Amino acid sequence: MNNPVSTYRLQFHKDFTFEHFEKIIPYLQKLGVGTIYASPIFEATPGSVHGYDGMNPHKINPEIGTEEQLIQISKRLKEHGISWLQDIVPNHMAFDPNNPWLKDVLEKGQQSVYAPFFDVPWTGKIYHGKIMIPFLGSPLKDTIKNEELKVDFEDPRFVIKYYDNAYPLRLRSYISILEAGKGEPNTSVQQLLDQIREIQKSEDPIAYKEPLHEFQLQLSALMKTDLTKGYIESCIEEVNNNPELIKKIAGEQVYQLVNWQRTDYQINFRRFFTVNGLICLNMQNREVFDHYHQYIKRLVDDGIFQGLRIDHIDGLFDPTKYLNELRELAGEETYIVVEKILEPGEGLPDYWPIQGNTGYDFLCYVNNVFTERSSEQQFTEFYKKLVNDDKSIHEQLLEKKSYILHESMGGELNNLYHLFLDMNLVSAEALEKVEPGVMKEAIGQFLIQCPVYRYYGNRLPLNNIETTDIKNILEEIRKSKPEFIAATELLEEAILSKPRQEDEDYNKRALRFYQRCMQFTGPLMAKGVEDTLMYTYNRFIGHNEVGDAPEAFGDTPEVYHRKMVDRQQKWPISLNGTSTHDTKRGEDVRARLNVLTDLPGEWFSAVQEWQQLNAGLKHNAAPDANDEYLIYQTLIGAYPNPGEGDDDFANRVQEYLQKALREAKTHSNWTTPNEEYEQAAKAFAVALLDESKPFWKSFEKIRSTIADFGIINSLAQVLLKFTSPGVPDVYQGTELWDFSLVDPDNRRAVDYKIRQQLMEELEAQANEEHENLMAHLWENRYSAKIKLWLVHRLMNERKENTELFTQGEYIPLSIEGKYKDNVLAFARVLADTWYVIAVPLHIATLSKQQRKEILAGDWEDTKILLPAEAPASFDHILSKEKGNHKNEITVKEIFKSLPLAVLKLQ
């Protein structure tokens, strides 16, 4: 198979194109990159900075480059042994009038060949099946009154314009426009009117398409003749001067123009999460699947793509069916991973024909091993006292999900309720005993109480495990919300009643309702947890991360070992991620924050001191204690290393706070921003950066304590990512220190010139005594050259020993001695070749004297125990030293130059 050895994620957009990429290929080749992991590269909305708002999956985004460039790039990469993993987005497209498929639908309605492609209930009751266009800034009548809606001609069709958005008009409206002029239409215009009436007689999409196209070409040609152009322009002018006629034309369309906020409580298309600008596809329909993937298949077949990454797999109606079809289309040789967020204790479905996921689970595993578990109670008690709130995190999670459902997804809930009724899943007599509002809210509670993003059952009866999980959800609702007992019994009967499921027609209807529910449990979890709770529950923000969980607080080495053994057995080539375009903060921010869990007393004392020092910086009590604590954690985690400048931190943190406060939805939000509160919080954060004030002196004291331990955590994190089971993924630029915050901060331009310069310096130093090189790297650790060196070394080591790191057994190793709790070690073994990996843990928990001794290389009697069959001699890959052992290796021997070890035994 085309399995990657390592991946390097790149974000393509108009400011980082194929041309820009070609310039850094030599650098990436020197770094040792095995696979380019590309963001979506198909045509997207103009100016898109991410590509997930696709408009045409059959064309390379012209803002990025051309197919010809891509082919040449592919040839060049293959010469260096570098493959290509492509991110694709089958769940949704841009809800944009320039989306060619959607434009066709907006112009022709159900007569469009693309009408079945979009997840729209054309026979629904909302607006009589008209698709909502939710982009007006006010209700339609006010928009017309304010003269914000205009009819125009955009070659070759008539459109109705709302500022820069131009929506195509259906053919019947052409008559209203062409008959609006003063005087009789000339012969040419009259012929157009006759043609329109003839074309409208056809209901066949195929028969309708060609005459319409010919008509528009004629109209386009006539608009180039002065006489006809003048008449038609006068018609347009008359229409735009007549609000009633504008209203009539707006009402004639297959779509309904509405205010953007209407989708909070009424909606008739499926969208990505709560984003009106992204409309979802019926990818479960084979014709949609085949058409969407035509170009992707060609690029796979032509060897341009060796792998595919599937965005938001949980949004699809039937993810399992989709992945089976994709595997059939792409072939067995194609590497396939899915973007999937796993909740604590949840595993990836082992029946999916894929190689794994995008690595958020690994991010969680490695992040937790650096969090000191014993500090959890102290952090919890300090935080509860700080914010004066005793609610459990589970209660808060359910509250946030409920808030999102009722404030932003009310329309989706209404639709599910009506689908439940339309599917006729329970008797009318039973339904009459439950109030409609209660039944709808019970369905809502089913979504809210779902403990994972979704389940994947695609046939009834559900398997035993999924049946048990659904029963547990319903039972939890009955316990916590007794008023829904009768309604949940109806839900249980509808989804789980086996006698009813002997009826094939009933099964189809019940399954449709169940799978439809599953398309909304994921968005609710994402919006309630990732985009709300992770900005409000600030006990320890290091775990407020995609793939991790706010309630998490550390794992022991034993837990990490168990997870890695399981990973090697089930998903040995799944991606190992630590930073992505979606993470809430950079990998090195989390690594540094984890040091706080080693020093809870010092941290809490500092925060209490800061609260007193900075009380005068607040304006009208803003920010509150919770947001103030978020600011302190953000500052300690993300401020650049000593001596490395401020990296425009003042501006960046203000942009971050604006997003964080609006996502929290406590004092501000995106709909009605509280700019006074936001400004107070921003001013507070910026004032902290004044180095002449007492706070800065106190801040620098604790920063100087944790900075080096944060770096050790960062380097250890890199080492685990590259040597644990899975394929290491490096997000663009993070081969140097990554102190970025949430997007757009983590999508800033990468300075490849400095990276190339540092790589050249490393090449020039390659022949130096290795001990001198490592001493130099540690001495200059704040510059990040040491991280670049480690990434480079490990990428190339994996290239040279690919089979061992993908197929080799994972063996946990025991530690003995004084500092046995401060080392994690394991072996990777294939045939007669062994690698022993060792990293330090929680050094900052030790006394100052012990820390000093350890950093000087004195680990006393601490040793790693090896199995009897392990080869007796080893090469230290990082220090270049050699050694022998008798079933044990002293830590001070291998951590002498740097507290990291990669030993090759053979």
Side-chain angles (χ1 to χ4, degrees):
M1 288 188 64
N2 295 311
N3 296 331
V5 178
S6 62
T7 61
Y8 190 93
R9 171 73 180 203
L10 288 169
Q11 297 295 117
F12 285 101
H13 47 78
K14 65 182 179 62
D15 296 319
F16 186 80
T17 66
F18 287 162
E19 186 176 345
H20 293 102
F21 169 61
E22 288 186 274
K23 293 177 182 178
I24 66 167
I25 289 177
Y27 162 73
L28 296 176
Q29 190 267 332
K30 287 181 181 179
L31 183 62
V33 171
T35 298
I36 298 302
Y37 172 17
S39 67
I41 59 171
F42 301 110
E43 186 174 16
T45 57
S48 174
V49 296
H50 48 73
Y52 291 101
D53 46 358
M55 296 209 299
N56 187 353
H58 295 167
K59 180 182 179 182
I60 299 298
N61 188 345
E63 292 188 344
I64 293 173
T66 66
E67 180 181 328
E68 290 72 24
Q69 282 180 293
L70 180 62
I71 291 170
Q72 291 305 312
I73 286 171
S74 177
K75 290 178 180 177
R76 188 175 170 191
L77 291 176
K78 287 175 183 175
E79 291 174 1
H80 296 297
I82 300 175
S83 59
W84 189 284
L85 170 61
Q86 182 57 53
D87 196 344
I88 64 172
V89 192
N91 179 68
H92 55 266
M93 298 179 76
F95 197 143
D96 187 291
N98 293 312
N99 177 334
W101 298 359
L102 187 61
K103 178 183 284 187
D104 199 69
V105 172
L106 298 180
E107 187 169 55
K108 302 168 187 170
Q110 293 185 69
Q111 289 183 304
S112 168
V113 294
Y114 295 108
F117 281 48
F118 295 97
D119 201 340
V120 177
W122 292 106
T123 58
K125 298 174 184 177
I126 300 175
Y127 298 120
H128 307 289
K130 292 184 175 185
I131 182 173
M132 296 169 66
I133 305 279
F135 301 110
L136 301 183
S138 56
L140 178 61
K141 64 178 182 178
D142 294 336
T143 302
I144 295 173
K145 180 180 178 182
N146 296 333
E147 300 182 350
E148 296 171 308
L149 214 57
K150 300 288 184 182
V151 166
D152 201 357
F153 178 80
E154 288 195 352
D155 198 12
R157 58 176 56 83
F158 286 120
V159 297
I160 192 163
K161 297 187 75 171
Y162 177 70
Y163 294 98
D164 293 334
N165 287 330
Y167 301 100
L169 296 178
R170 67 189 305 187
L171 203 53
R172 63 185 290 186
S173 295
Y174 285 40
I175 297 176
S176 300
I177 295 169
L178 294 174
E179 290 183 340
K182 293 177 180 178
E184 292 295 319
N186 63 29
T187 303
S188 297
V189 173
Q190 188 59 55
Q191 288 176 348
L192 289 175
L193 289 167
D194 293 340
Q195 272 186 272
I196 293 171
R197 294 185 175 98
E198 187 64 29
I199 294 171
Q200 284 185 304
K201 294 178 182 178
S202 174
E203 295 183 0
D204 179 14
I206 305 300
Y208 182 85
K209 179 179 180 181
E210 193 60 36
L212 175 61
H213 179 64
E214 290 178 4
F215 167 80
Q216 289 178 334
L217 290 177
Q218 291 179 41
L219 177 60
S220 176
L222 287 172
M223 285 296 287
K224 295 178 174 63
T225 64
D226 292 340
L227 181 62
T228 304
K229 179 182 179 183
Y231 175 78
I232 293 176
E233 287 178 343
S234 72
C235 291
I236 292 172
E237 185 177 357
E238 287 296 317
V239 170
N240 288 331
N241 289 331
N242 188 336
E244 286 302 314
L245 193 48
I246 287 282
K247 180 180 177 182
K248 174 180 179 293
I249 290 172
E252 289 174 342
Q253 306 316 308
V254 299
Y255 50 82
Q256 182 68 42
L257 296 163
V258 299
N259 175 248
W260 65 274
Q261 291 177 293
R262 195 174 191 91
T263 53
D264 287 344
Y265 57 89
Q266 185 181 58
I267 192 168
N268 66 356
F269 66 93
R270 185 167 64 89
R271 54 186 171 164
F272 172 75
F273 292 2
T274 57
V275 182
N276 288 346
L278 297 172
I279 185 170
C280 294
L281 297 165
N282 285 319
M283 199 54 66
Q284 70 273 18
N285 296 347
R286 187 66 199 221
E287 67 167 322
V288 180
F289 176 91
D290 288 341
H291 189 72
Y292 182 90
H293 292 88
Q294 276 181 8
Y295 190 41
I296 294 168
K297 175 174 171 52
R298 179 159 73 82
L299 293 173
V300 169
D301 290 347
D302 290 348
I304 307 300
F305 299 161
Q306 287 75 45
L308 298 173
R309 180 260 200 197
I310 316 307
D311 181 66
H312 191 44
I313 190 68
D314 283 348
L316 302 178
F317 185 76
D318 189 345
T320 302
K321 177 176 180 285
Y322 171 82
L323 290 172
N324 286 328
E325 291 174 345
L326 184 68
R327 175 56 71 193
E328 179 185 1
L329 174 140
E332 292 299 323
E333 296 302 307
T334 302
Y335 177 82
I336 299 177
V337 289
V338 298
E339 181 198 32
K340 169 63 189 162
I341 310 299
L342 296 167
E343 293 302 301
E346 182 188 10
L348 197 63
D350 57 12
Y351 48 84
W352 281 356
I354 60 175
Q355 277 63 56
N357 62 46
T358 55
Y360 289 123
D361 55 347
F362 182 80
L363 181 155
C364 174
Y365 303 154
V366 77
N367 194 31
N368 274 274
V369 84
F370 292 110
T371 302
E372 176 52 58
R373 288 180 70 246
S374 65
S375 298
E376 180 176 12
Q377 185 174 350
Q378 295 175 73
F379 269 76
T380 302
E381 290 176 355
F382 178 81
Y383 183 63
K384 283 182 177 180
K385 185 178 179 181
L386 182 81
V387 298
N388 193 28
D389 189 347
D390 284 331
K391 285 181 185 173
S392 71
I393 189 166
H394 184 66
E395 288 178 281
Q396 294 182 51
L397 182 151
L398 296 180
E399 281 183 2
K400 303 307 181 188
K401 291 174 75 174
S402 179
Y403 175 88
I404 294 296
L405 181 64
H406 295 102
E407 295 297 322
S408 301
M409 295 177 64
E412 282 87 352
L413 178 57
N414 282 330
N415 294 344
L416 286 173
Y417 169 65
H418 287 293
L419 179 63
F420 180 79
L421 298 181
D422 293 344
M423 291 298 97
N424 192 26
L425 300 177
V426 295
S427 68
E429 294 80 9
L431 202 56
E432 286 176 0
K433 296 177 183 178
V434 179
E435 291 289 330
V438 173
M439 191 68 238
K440 183 174 78 171
E441 186 55 30
I443 294 170
Q445 286 298 317
F446 178 60
L447 305 182
I448 292 167
Q449 295 279 356
C450 186
V452 294
Y453 270 66
R454 68 167 290 169
Y455 295 100
Y456 300 101
N458 59 5
R459 66 182 63 186
L460 294 180
L462 301 172
N463 65 44
N464 291 337
I465 295 174
E466 195 160 330
T467 295
T468 300
D469 287 343
I470 300 304
K471 283 184 175 180
N472 289 341
I473 293 172
L474 297 174
E475 183 59 30
E476 183 60 35
I477 297 171
R478 287 191 277 262
K479 284 182 181 178
S480 59
K481 308 277 186 181
E483 63 270 29
F484 298 124
I485 289 176
T488 54
E489 288 175 351
L490 294 185
L491 282 175
E492 185 163 349
E493 179 185 344
I495 300 171
L496 301 178
S497 176
K498 291 186 179 179
R500 300 288 295 274
Q501 291 170 0
E502 295 174 1
D503 180 342
E504 186 176 340
D505 179 64
Y506 176 88
N507 269 359
K508 288 181 180 178
R509 288 181 279 118
L511 186 61
R512 180 182 171 191
F513 170 72
Y514 177 69
Q515 289 183 287
R516 194 60 161 174
C517 286
M518 292 299 103
Q519 286 186 285
F520 296 105
T521 51
L524 189 58
M525 180 74 85
K527 296 302 296 181
V529 179
E530 289 178 34
D531 292 344
T532 306
L533 185 66
M534 286 188 179
Y535 292 96
T536 61
Y537 186 74
N538 296 324
R539 175 185 67 170
F540 176 62
I541 65 172
H543 289 295
N544 292 0
E545 189 56 86
V546 183
D548 207 334
E551 66 267 31
F553 208 96
D555 283 333
T556 63
E558 290 72 27
V559 172
Y560 182 82
H561 288 319
R562 285 200 299 271
K563 290 175 178 177
M564 291 303 104
V565 169
D566 182 73
R567 191 174 185 82
Q568 181 59 33
Q569 291 172 349
K570 296 177 180 177
W571 305 104
I573 50 174
S574 187
L575 292 184
N576 290 350
T578 46
S579 285
T580 77
H581 61 288
D582 279 334
T583 40
K584 303 297 183 187
R585 46 193 58 83
E587 59 191 53
D588 299 315
V589 178
R590 293 191 305 274
R592 190 191 282 174
L593 285 170
N594 271 321
V595 181
L596 301 179
T597 68
D598 294 335
L599 303 166
E602 292 179 46
W603 170 241
F604 300 147
S605 295
V607 171
Q608 290 168 336
E609 178 188 358
W610 297 345
Q611 286 176 309
Q612 294 178 358
L613 286 174
N614 300 323
L617 299 179
K618 295 191 176 188
H619 178 71
N620 291 334
D624 69 9
N626 193 37
D627 292 332
E628 182 182 1
Y629 193 41
L630 169 67
I631 291 170
Y632 292 146
Q633 291 182 75
T634 301
L635 183 59
I636 201 73
Y639 199 80
N641 275 322
E644 294 300 307
D646 65 3
D647 197 20
D648 195 30
F649 191 81
N651 288 322
R652 290 171 50 224
V653 78
Q654 288 182 81
E655 187 173 26
Y656 167 75
L657 284 173
Q658 177 174 290
K659 179 169 183 173
L661 295 173
R662 293 182 183 183
E663 295 284 27
K665 306 169 194 67
T666 303
H667 297 291
S668 190
N669 58 61
W670 292 107
T671 306
T672 54
N674 183 342
E675 294 183 2
E676 181 181 356
Y677 185 90
E678 290 177 3
Q679 187 53 43
K682 291 177 185 179
F684 180 87
V686 171
L688 298 180
L689 305 179
D690 186 341
E691 298 183 14
S692 67
K693 301 297 183 183
F695 165 77
W696 191 259
K697 183 178 180 181
S698 176
F699 169 74
E700 280 285 70
K701 181 180 178 182
I702 191 167
R703 182 171 73 136
S704 65
T705 300
I706 72 167
D708 286 349
F709 296 114
I711 286 174
I712 291 171
N713 279 354
S714 292
L715 297 175
Q717 180 175 245
V718 169
L719 186 50
L720 292 181
K721 176 168 71 173
F722 273 83
T723 57
S724 295
V727 176
D729 173 46
V730 176
Y731 180 65
Q732 59 178 29
T734 62
E735 61 270 32
L736 300 191
W737 300 131
D738 176 22
F739 293 116
S740 60
L741 300 168
V742 74
D743 69 276
D745 194 61
N746 60 11
R747 302 178 189 180
R748 289 174 294 154
V750 177
D751 185 349
Y752 281 106
K753 287 185 179 179
I754 186 64
R755 286 159 177 78
Q756 289 168 332
Q757 178 185 329
L758 291 174
M759 180 62 73
E760 289 169 2
E761 291 177 11
L762 286 173
E763 287 182 317
Q765 294 172 309
N767 295 324
E768 287 186 19
E769 285 289 331
H770 224 70
E771 193 168 328
N772 293 339
L773 173 61
M774 295 179 75
H776 165 78
L777 291 172
W778 180 253
E779 185 178 339
N780 294 276
R781 57 195 175 278
Y782 299 140
S783 73
K785 188 194 289 190
I786 191 170
K787 187 180 182 186
L788 178 67
W789 165 78
L790 185 61
V791 169
H792 167 65
R793 192 71 193 86
L794 295 173
M795 275 191 169
N796 285 284
E797 193 67 27
R798 283 186 65 95
K799 275 188 176 182
E800 294 169 11
N801 298 272
T802 302
E803 288 189 4
L804 181 139
F805 285 109
T806 55
Q807 302 174 25
E809 184 181 359
Y810 179 97
I811 302 176
L813 298 178
S814 298
I815 313 295
E816 287 186 355
K818 183 175 181 178
Y819 298 118
K820 65 179 181 179
D821 295 329
N822 302 106
V823 178
L824 180 150
F826 57 89
R828 300 299 308 276
V829 180
L830 184 66
D832 295 329
T833 302
W834 289 56
Y835 274 80
V836 170
I837 315 298
V839 299
L841 294 176
H842 311 301
I843 298 175
T845 60
L846 304 172
S847 69
K848 290 183 179 180
Q849 181 60 34
Q850 289 173 325
R851 294 179 212 163
K852 184 178 179 181
E853 291 171 356
I854 276 181
L855 290 177
D858 185 4
W859 287 78
E860 297 196 14
D861 63 344
T862 310
K863 58 190 175 184
I864 302 169
L865 305 184
L866 297 176
E869 63 270 24
S873 61
F874 64 82
D875 291 332
H876 195 314
I877 300 302
L878 302 180
S879 71
K880 298 295 186 182
E881 295 179 336
K882 299 181 181 295
N884 295 287
H885 70 87
K886 294 182 179 179
N887 298 328
E888 61 182 44
I889 299 175
T890 60
V891 172
K892 64 183 177 183
E893 180 183 4
I894 58 175
F895 279 6
K896 184 166 49 177
S897 302
L898 191 69
L900 301 168
V902 181
L903 312 179
K904 186 173 185 179
L905 283 62
Q906 56 185 4

